[in-house]
Each structure stands twice: as structure tokens, then as C-alpha cells.
Amino acid sequence: MKVGVLGAGTMGSGIVQLAAQNGHNVTLVDLNEQILHSSEDKLVKILSRLVEKGRITDEQKSAAIGRIAYGCDIQDLADCDIVIEAIIENLNIKCDVFAKLEQLCKKGVILASNTSSLSIASIGAALEEPSKIIGIHFFNPAPLMPLVEIIPAVQTSDSTLKKAKDLIDSWGKVTVLCKDTPGFIVNRVARPFYGEALRIYEEGIADFATIDWAMTELGGFRMGPFTLMDYIGNDVNYAVTESVFTAFYYDSRYRPSFTQKRHAEAGYLGRKSGRGYFDYTEGAVRIEPNKERRLGEYILDRILVMLINEAVDAVFLNIASKEDVDLAMTNGVNYPKGLLNWADEIGLDNVLTKLEDMFNEYGEDRYRPSPLLRRMVRDNQTFFA
Ligand code: NAI
């Protein structure tokens, strides 16, 4: 299969590397010639480093480099069997580009978007034959993160879905199938990791360092929520939260936080600006967490049951299968355990009780337990056990 990638930024460059290393001839197109050159330089450097580390041979590196062609004209993608688009996140621009691609590519081409937040159906609507549209959502960095969400739109044909999934499976990725809904699986189910952590802080229950300590030390997460938001950038993370909130018709479960908004407005973006929730300037004093165990357990329990509730609700609404929901969170954002598997371990009745307690205490719709959780507790069921 000849692969085309449109957009030579962070994501496009990673996808090209994957395609080339998996034996495909691949053409990378970007409007901006300078970005294209810098992408080529970076790819050569990354592959050379892999040779130094003994992960690939010199021949494999040369072969991969030899399979990649670069171009500034969308016309260069004409002979591709699949084009994966990774350009700017703007619906009008994407629709424009997809309509052009459909005209110049061969009839059986698959047209895929790596969008994080736009609906695949709305991009497909730009096509005369929308059955060839599909979402193929990689995670950053694409060559390293195992997860890829495959998102058929209402217009997507079975054959487009099968070919796209088979291709990405053949690259050794963990593919999960997901409905065309806001945030897909990962960016939907992960919302409480940030949102509930921010809420706990806003209530004055604990500071950033203590919440991070509870999630990493007691919960086994690789990074605490505030450290992670500082990595992602508070501007970027806030924008994702706001877009999911709006897309869900202002469901209070996804409401963004003023704390994060103010940090973004102040320019406290995180690592990239030297300061976010924490100070990254040289010589900055590290804030010590309050390691009181009961407080830590309260924090972990509260964020965890909110995450589990989100995962259960995704299954309830047929966004993805229970297996794929767990695979998505362990392979896309490195959670220490699948959330549904974790729920079985804790006991679904315990999860429900904690959510009901919060729902009763706060009287907020945000804490409403998923109907599936209630049903499973009533019927004494588990997800996997
Ligand atoms: P980026 O800003 O690093 O790269 C975008 C590239 O597209 C730029 O090089 C730009 O010159 C080029 N471009 C813009 N308009 C173009 C056009 N009409 N024709 C050809 N090239 C064009 O962006 P990034 O971060 O790589 O994101 C790309 C897409 O992937 C977006 O849809 C984003 O939502 C999605 N995505 C991003 C992730 C991330 O962590 N950065 C993760 C998963 C998906």
C-alpha cells in the first residue's frame, strides 16, 4: 500500500516514520517547505539514533529513508492508496483539503484524518463519496505510543474500515474501535483525571503537589495530574477540555476549571513557559506534598471513581467495547490498569457507593453514576472477572 501523509508537523512526521519503517513507500506533503526540510532532518536524526541504540540496522535505516518522498504540492499524493491527514485543526481547511484529495487521488483511495476534536462525519461531508472517510487517531509521539483509535463515521464503508484497521494493525499498533463522538475514547474517559484533580484543589482539600503524590505513589499513575497538565501545556489542555464540554452540550461532568483557565491566561502554561502549576526555573524550590495517608487515599478514590464512571458510561453508550476502553487507557495514556478491570478489583458496589455519596453531598449532576454501573451492581455482575 502506498501511503501519503499530509502535514509535516509533530504528528505527520511520526506517522511517516512508522509507515517507512513498516516497509511502505510514503510521500509527505506540507505547504511549508521549511517545515518539510526540518521534518526530514529530524527523521534522519531519529533513525540514526535508533541505529546507535542497536534497535535497527544501518541498512534498515537507509531503506526507510529511501522509501520517503517529500513534496510541497498536494498533487504529489495522487498515486497513494491511503492518505492520512495531520494538518491544522480547523474544519473548513480540512474539508477543503479532503475535497481536493478526492478529486486528485485514485477512486479506491482511503482518506483518513488524525483529528483529535473534529467529527469525522463533518469532514466526510466534504466528499462526493464519503464512504472512503475514516478517523485514524494516533497519540504523540506516534512511533512510540502503541494506541491508535480507529473511528468510522456514519458514512464510512465496511471495506474502508477493514483496510484502515488492517494497515494500522500491521504496523504493530494496538487498535481500538470507537464511535465518532467528542474526545473519542481516551480524551473523553481521561477528563476527570484533570477535572476532578482541579476540583479537589479548588475546594482547598489539597495542593498540587499532594494531589500528584496521591495519584503517583498511591495510585501508581506514571505522572500526577498537575505535572501532566504542565507537560501538555495548560493552554492546550484547557482548549481540549473546553471543546469536549461544548461538544457535549455543556454536560457539567466536563466543565472546565477556572484555576486552569487563569493559569493559561497568566501564561503559566507549564514546562514550555518555565512555570505552570509548578515552577521549572533553575533553583526553584520543590514543594513537598502532605503525605498524610488518609488524605491521599481520599484524593485517589475520588479521582479514580470519577474515571471509572466515565469508562463505564462509554461502554453504556456503546462508544467502544469494554475491552477496547481498557486497552485505550493503558496503551494511550499509560494508566497502570484498565479502569474497568480496576473497578472489578475495587468492587462495583464500592464504586457506586462512593459516587452516590458525592452525588448526595454535592447535589451536582457531575457526580451522577452511570446507569450501567447501577444495573451491574443490581445484577451482581462484573466486567471481566
Ligand atoms: P503541527 O502544527 O505540528 O503540524 C501541522 C502541519 O500542517 C504544519 O507543518 C503545517 O505547515 C501543515 N499544514 C497546515 N495546513 C496545511 C495544508 N493545507 N496543506 C498541507 N500542510 C498544511 O500539528 P500537529 O500537532 O502535528 O497536529 C496535526 C493534527 O493531528 C491535528 O488535527 C491535531 O488535532 C492532531 N493530533 C495532534 C496530536 C498532538 O499531540 N499534537 C495528537 C493526536 C492528533
Side-chain angles (χ1 to χ4, degrees):
M1 237 183 175
K2 172 128 206 266
V3 177
V5 176
L6 189 63
T10 315
M11 297 308 292
S13 301
I15 298 166
V16 162
Q17 184 194 332
L18 268 170
Q21 284 194 270
N22 282 286
H24 298 274
N25 286 326
V26 46
T27 302
L28 177 60
V29 169
D30 198 294
L31 287 178
N32 184 326
E33 203 170 342
Q34 226 171 337
I35 290 181
L36 209 54
H37 283 310
S38 98
S39 167
E40 183 171 5
D41 287 349
K42 272 188 225 147
L43 273 167
V44 172
K45 271 194 204 126
I46 289 169
L47 291 169
S48 304
R49 216 173 307 137
L50 290 178
V51 174
E52 280 162 31
K53 284 189 189 161
R55 305 271 288 280
I56 59 172
T57 63
D58 215 23
E59 292 73 46
Q60 283 170 323
K61 171 190 144 184
S62 308
I65 290 172
R67 288 186 202 108
I68 310 174
Y70 298 86
C72 285
D73 187 350
I74 195 170
Q75 195 70 40
D76 297 334
L77 300 170
D79 62 341
C80 292
D81 301 297
I82 180 167
V83 177
I84 304 174
E85 166 276 317
I87 65 166
I88 186 172
E89 190 77 335
N90 175 305
L91 181 61
N92 289 335
I93 298 177
K94 285 200 201 275
C95 283
D96 213 41
V97 151
F98 273 88
K100 274 192 199 128
L101 282 171
E102 184 178 36
Q103 294 310 314
L104 64 93
C105 290
K106 44 190 171 190
K107 206 170 174 303
V109 70
I110 293 174
L111 297 176
S113 177
N114 184 47
T115 180
S116 293
S117 65
L118 302 170
S119 91
I120 308 303
S122 65
I123 300 172
L127 301 178
E128 277 171 21
E129 205 193 289
S131 63
K132 54 178 79 154
I133 191 76
I134 192 152
I136 302 186
H137 187 226
F138 289 85
F139 288 76
N140 187 17
L144 296 182
M145 295 305 288
L147 188 74
V148 179
E149 293 174 330
I150 306 278
I151 309 117
V154 283
Q155 307 101 312
T156 307
S157 70
D158 289 348
S159 106
T160 299
L161 171 59
K162 183 177 182 328
K163 282 186 207 152
K165 185 180 174 327
D166 286 351
L167 175 72
I168 306 300
D169 280 337
S170 78
W171 295 358
K173 292 293 182 188
V174 174
T175 54
V176 290
L177 201 62
C178 171
K179 276 237 181 94
D180 184 16
T181 46
F184 307 133
I185 304 176
V186 169
N187 283 335
R188 172 194 191 124
V189 174
R191 291 314 343 129
F193 191 69
Y194 317 106
E196 203 55 22
L198 283 156
R199 174 68 187 256
I200 289 169
Y201 165 79
E202 284 175 350
E203 285 182 34
I205 293 169
D207 60 17
F208 306 138
T210 302
I211 297 169
D212 275 11
W213 167 79
M215 296 309 283
T216 52
E217 290 302 310
L218 305 182
F221 287 85
R222 287 240 187 119
M223 238 184 244
F226 294 97
T227 304
L228 182 54
M229 286 185 272
D230 274 355
Y231 253 106
I232 296 169
N234 278 307
D235 49 343
V236 174
N237 189 256
Y238 180 81
V240 175
T241 307
E242 198 179 37
S243 110
V244 171
F245 179 56
T246 310
F248 274 109
Y249 309 114
Y250 307 101
D251 183 337
S252 61
R253 214 154 59 185
Y254 307 109
R255 182 180 295 140
S257 129
F258 282 120
T259 298
Q260 186 169 38
K261 186 161 204 271
R262 294 292 179 263
H263 274 70
E265 286 167 349
Y268 292 178
L269 306 182
R271 285 192 173 264
K272 63 186 174 188
S273 69
R275 177 164 180 178
Y277 299 111
F278 302 109
D279 190 347
Y280 299 96
T281 49
E282 234 185 84
V285 185
R286 243 193 92 205
I287 299 159
E288 283 305 313
N290 173 359
K291 295 187 180 175
E292 197 190 312
R293 201 161 173 101
R294 270 183 54 192
L295 173 64
E297 281 169 357
Y298 171 83
I299 294 166
L300 170 62
D301 277 358
R302 184 164 161 178
I303 298 174
L304 189 54
V305 296
M306 287 295 274
L307 283 167
I308 289 171
N309 196 38
E310 210 49 65
V312 175
D313 218 45
V315 176
F316 172 60
L317 295 170
N318 284 304
I319 306 305
S321 70
K322 59 184 181 179
E323 289 80 9
D324 281 3
V325 168
D326 270 13
L327 277 175
M329 305 316 283
T330 48
N331 290 280
V333 270
N334 287 321
Y335 280 13
K337 269 181 238 177
L339 291 167
L340 301 173
N341 181 27
W342 213 335
D344 281 346
E345 275 181 34
I346 298 170
L348 298 192
D349 50 343
N350 291 323
V351 174
L352 179 61
T353 303
K354 282 187 180 135
L355 282 164
E356 280 175 333
D357 286 351
M358 287 199 285
F359 185 73
N360 292 333
E361 183 181 352
Y362 289 108
E364 286 179 53
D365 200 39
R366 167 189 183 87
Y367 298 106
R368 67 186 187 275
S370 170
L372 178 60
L373 186 61
R374 289 190 191 283
R375 207 178 285 162
M376 290 180 73
V377 170
R378 184 196 62 201
D379 298 341
N380 211 7
Q381 291 173 328
T382 56
F383 280 101
F384 300 109

